[in-house]
Amino acid sequence: MDSEYTQDGTLDIHKKPANRNKTGTWKACRFILVTECCERLAYYGMSTNLVNYIEKHLSMGNVAASNSVTNWSGTCYATPLIGAFLADAYLGRYWTIASFVVIYICGMTLLTLSASVPGLTPTCNGENCHATGAQIAITFVALYLIALGTGGIKPCVSSFGADQFDDTDEEEKESKSSFFNWFYFVINVGAMIASSVLVWIQMNVGWGWGFGVPTVAMALAVLLFFAGSNFYRLQKPGGSPITRMLQVIVASFRKSKVKVPEDDSLLYEIHDAESSIQGSRKLEHTAKLTFFDKAAVVVVETETDDNKKADKSGWKLCTVTQVEELKALIGLLPVWASGIVFAAVYSQMSTVFVLQGNTMDRSMGPNFTIPSASLSLFDILSVLFWTPVYDQLIVPLARKLTGHERGFTQLQRIGIGLLISIFSMVSAGILEVARLSYVRTHNLYDVEAVPISIFWQVPQYFFVGCAEVFTFIGQLEFFYDQAPDAMRSLCSALALTTVALGNYLSTLLVTVVTKVTTTGGRAGWIADNLNRGHLDYYYWLLAVLSFLNFFVYLWIAKSYTYKKATGHAL
């Protein structure tokens, strides 16, 4: 490109056309990548071992601690809907990240203070701690500030990084693919440091340092993010997708008695090659959910002489593309719902997997004890292993067998991950059966750690990591590709909400299971002393739910129709 400025409509921080040589590309992305690495380090530095902190330092039992973590984690994956809406409709991605990252750092600072300042931190006598109601309240206020802060970062930061490359320039367009590779890499770097170094600091040095280190890292990330402001390219927000969908719904009900013409070319659509929606291509009309087609039926309101006027108010008449946006979103919902059970399985890594590990032999040699939460490192290693294996080995082999350019369709990829996740629960269940059998045989009911190595947990973590590569990455790709062009941030956030609902489902299951299995004075499946419980039954329950979910998903995937876009975006 000979032009001095980008051709994709991006602006610089001063709201002027972005200079190609002074903004964007890797000189901007280095700030974004460091911010994301530190944010993920901070998030996983808290969430990976949070169940132990809540159980031991806030004086909660296994069930209450597990539910508290899943509720908080679920909220962290629900708040991106707020951030995505504000970014798409009003603020743009830069100002959304800039606003929410401040909330994030405030939450982390408060959490660090609650774990280190006398009076705010619980009083402990050895392993026994007593937390007041005020101390518990301060901790949870800090955690939910963090949950709100991450809601503005998760759905925006990867897209903001991609905004730094101009699609009209072939060289920059090629670099965009490389950015996503590095983006995924730094996420796992942050998670790896959190699962190893930070968890060890928390368990062996103290929670004040364990929360303080990621807080400092996040503070540096905030400074670096703002330091890069002059290098960033900013996309203008394109208007509220929620408003457009509400317009279709309202217009459809207003014209509920209107008959949809058999010839779909009579439905309202602008005649230009571009869509009337900024940043979106036109969508072809589909024959599903035809009730909403009523919104695109032109109804003549007044007739004077030879002049017929149709009311083209957005709340009375919508374009075919606007109608198809709503249809596309509704079509995504069954696939979205099928990911909730998988997310519930994924959430077990930060709850019952950790509690199970606490009851096993965690020693590595005579002088080192591995924190049970650090076993999630094997999930990260599994992801790092399977990602290149999938890309370099599985895809080329599958391409030869299926003839599909990606090896598998996106829906096939998601389905394979759902199947693999069943093996994770089966593996965890088998280990718990063996552990409880050892407890009964040697009468170790009141022993804190059973002499079975914690590394027998590695297979269940490894299966979860493998399933992630197929299902989570497949979901992100699917929701990005199948979302209407002007709703991609919102649909990416929607994909994240499966993790939120999976955590809430886990909370519900634990609550119901505990209530049902503790009747009559029984210890229950998830007892405070797991040696007297039946955690294996809980794993079998999740395995059965995953198995049923897999077959429901097969039916959903078989009936799904991929979207068809035409023309080009404004």
Side-chain angles (χ1 to χ4, degrees):
M1 286 280 181
D2 296 326
S3 174
E4 182 182 358
Y5 300 99
T6 58
Q7 303 299 304
D8 59 357
T10 50
L11 307 175
D12 63 20
I13 192 65
H14 305 294
K15 298 183 179 181
K16 297 179 180 179
N19 186 299
R20 183 181 305 281
N21 298 318
K22 296 180 180 179
T23 62
T25 64
W26 293 109
K27 54 182 168 285
C29 285
R30 59 188 174 183
F31 296 99
I32 297 169
L33 291 173
V34 171
T35 299
E36 177 63 8
C37 181
C38 292
E39 189 274 331
R40 290 291 85 188
L41 183 152
Y43 176 79
Y44 288 115
M46 292 175 297
S47 64
T48 302
N49 205 25
L50 186 60
V51 68
N52 277 331
Y53 181 75
I54 291 175
E55 183 204 4
K56 298 181 187 301
H57 285 259
L58 299 187
S59 313
M60 293 187 179
N62 282 345
V63 172
S66 177
N67 285 348
S68 296
V69 171
T70 51
N71 287 337
W72 173 76
S73 183
T75 304
C76 287
Y77 283 91
T79 52
L81 287 173
I82 300 172
F85 173 75
L86 291 175
D88 278 348
Y90 302 113
L91 299 179
R93 285 183 267 274
Y94 171 82
W95 290 110
T96 301
I97 296 171
S99 302
F100 280 76
V101 81
V102 174
I103 299 173
Y104 201 125
I105 195 67
C106 289
M108 290 196 61
T109 301
L110 182 58
L111 183 65
T112 302
L113 293 175
S114 73
S116 55
V117 175
L120 296 180
T121 187
T123 54
C124 296
N125 182 15
E127 291 292 320
N128 298 317
C129 296
H130 174 71
T132 65
Q135 290 167 343
I136 294 173
I138 290 172
T139 299
F140 279 96
V141 166
L143 288 173
Y144 280 90
L145 279 175
I146 293 165
L148 178 60
T150 195
I153 298 174
K154 281 179 186 291
C156 296
V157 68
S158 61
S159 299
F160 184 59
D163 290 345
Q164 307 311 308
F165 300 95
D166 186 352
D167 271 341
T168 65
D169 184 292
E170 288 300 322
E171 185 176 344
E172 289 194 19
K173 187 177 180 179
E174 186 176 334
S175 295
K176 183 183 289 189
S177 176
S178 181
F179 165 77
F180 282 113
N181 292 333
W182 283 105
F183 182 79
Y184 191 70
F185 178 81
V186 298
I187 287 176
N188 283 278
V189 169
M192 182 178 293
I193 295 171
S195 299
S196 53
V197 179
L198 289 184
V199 170
W200 185 88
I201 290 174
Q202 290 164 358
M203 299 302 288
N204 294 276
V205 179
W207 290 97
W209 282 99
F211 292 146
V213 171
T215 301
V216 171
M218 193 66 196
L220 290 173
V222 172
L223 294 176
L224 282 168
F225 179 78
F226 286 115
S229 296
N230 287 329
F231 298 102
Y232 296 145
R233 297 174 183 173
L234 281 61
Q235 288 278 6
K236 293 178 288 186
S240 170
I242 294 177
T243 300
R244 292 196 300 272
M245 289 187 290
L246 287 175
Q247 286 176 334
V248 174
I249 295 170
V250 170
S252 298
F253 278 99
R254 276 183 166 179
K255 295 184 282 189
S256 60
K257 296 181 180 180
V258 173
K259 184 179 180 181
V260 178
E262 293 183 6
D263 183 359
D264 59 27
S265 66
L266 297 176
L267 297 174
Y268 177 65
E269 182 62 276
I270 62 171
H271 298 295
D272 297 333
E274 303 91 353
S275 165
S276 60
I277 303 167
Q278 183 174 350
S280 177
R281 293 168 292 173
K282 286 184 178 180
L283 294 173
E284 292 184 2
H285 176 261
T286 60
K288 60 183 181 180
L289 300 171
T290 54
F291 173 79
F292 294 114
D293 289 339
K294 295 177 185 291
V297 175
V298 179
V299 176
V300 176
E301 296 287 347
T302 62
E303 185 172 343
T304 59
D305 299 324
D306 296 326
N307 182 33
K308 295 181 179 181
K309 296 182 179 179
D311 190 338
K312 294 186 179 181
S313 162
W315 296 95
K316 293 183 179 179
L317 182 65
C318 306
T319 65
V320 169
T321 295
Q322 196 173 337
V323 172
E324 292 300 321
E325 274 192 332
L326 178 60
K327 288 184 182 181
L329 182 66
I330 294 173
L332 291 174
L333 292 180
V335 179
W336 165 82
S338 67
I340 295 173
V341 173
F342 175 81
V345 170
Y346 175 78
S347 72
Q348 305 312 309
M349 285 196 303
S350 60
T351 54
V352 293
F353 279 18
V354 177
L355 298 176
Q356 183 186 40
N358 288 342
T359 68
M360 303 178 75
D361 181 9
R362 297 180 285 121
S363 61
M364 290 180 63
N367 300 316
F368 184 79
T369 300
I370 184 171
S372 56
S374 287
L375 265 289
S376 63
L377 179 65
F378 288 97
D379 165 69
I380 299 168
L381 293 174
S382 177
V383 171
L384 293 175
F385 172 78
W386 283 109
T387 300
V389 167
Y390 179 85
D391 188 59
Q392 300 298 319
L393 296 178
I394 297 177
V395 169
L397 179 61
R399 189 181 292 129
K400 292 179 181 178
L401 297 174
T402 65
H404 194 275
E405 61 179 357
R406 294 175 177 172
F408 300 108
T409 66
Q410 294 155 351
L411 291 174
Q412 287 172 340
R413 180 176 185 175
I414 294 171
I416 293 170
L418 295 180
L419 181 63
I420 294 171
S421 69
I422 300 172
F423 291 98
S424 173
M425 291 297 97
V426 171
S427 175
I430 291 173
L431 175 60
E432 186 63 11
V433 168
R435 196 188 69 81
L436 290 176
S437 176
Y438 193 94
V439 168
R440 286 192 297 269
T441 302
H442 297 85
N443 195 26
L444 300 176
Y445 291 101
D446 296 315
V447 173
E448 183 177 347
V450 177
I452 297 177
S453 174
I454 193 174
F455 289 102
W456 283 106
Q457 282 192 309
V458 170
Q460 62 206 57
Y461 282 100
F462 200 73
F463 277 126
V464 172
C466 181
E468 276 183 74
V469 170
F470 284 90
T471 295
F472 275 156
I473 299 176
Q475 282 178 338
L476 290 173
E477 186 179 3
F478 174 78
F479 277 88
Y480 181 84
D481 276 0
Q482 296 304 305
D485 295 346
M487 293 173 60
R488 280 176 167 162
S489 292
L490 189 63
C491 288
S492 294
L494 185 67
L496 292 172
T497 61
T498 61
V499 180
L501 292 176
N503 277 279
Y504 296 144
L505 175 61
S506 178
T507 297
L508 177 64
L509 287 174
V510 170
T511 302
V512 172
V513 162
T514 301
K515 187 171 183 178
V516 171
T517 62
T518 54
T519 56
R522 291 177 296 173
W525 290 3
I526 311 174
D528 285 339
N529 180 354
L530 290 180
N531 294 336
R532 297 184 180 276
H534 261 296
L535 188 58
D536 52 330
Y537 292 173
Y538 180 65
Y539 287 136
W540 300 137
L541 173 63
L542 284 172
V544 170
L545 289 175
S546 298
F547 184 76
L548 295 174
N549 182 64
F550 173 69
F551 279 96
V552 171
Y553 173 81
L554 292 180
W555 176 77
I556 293 170
K558 186 177 180 180
S559 59
Y560 184 80
T561 303
Y562 286 87
K563 79 168 186 182
K564 295 180 181 179
T566 60
H568 55 275
L570 284 169

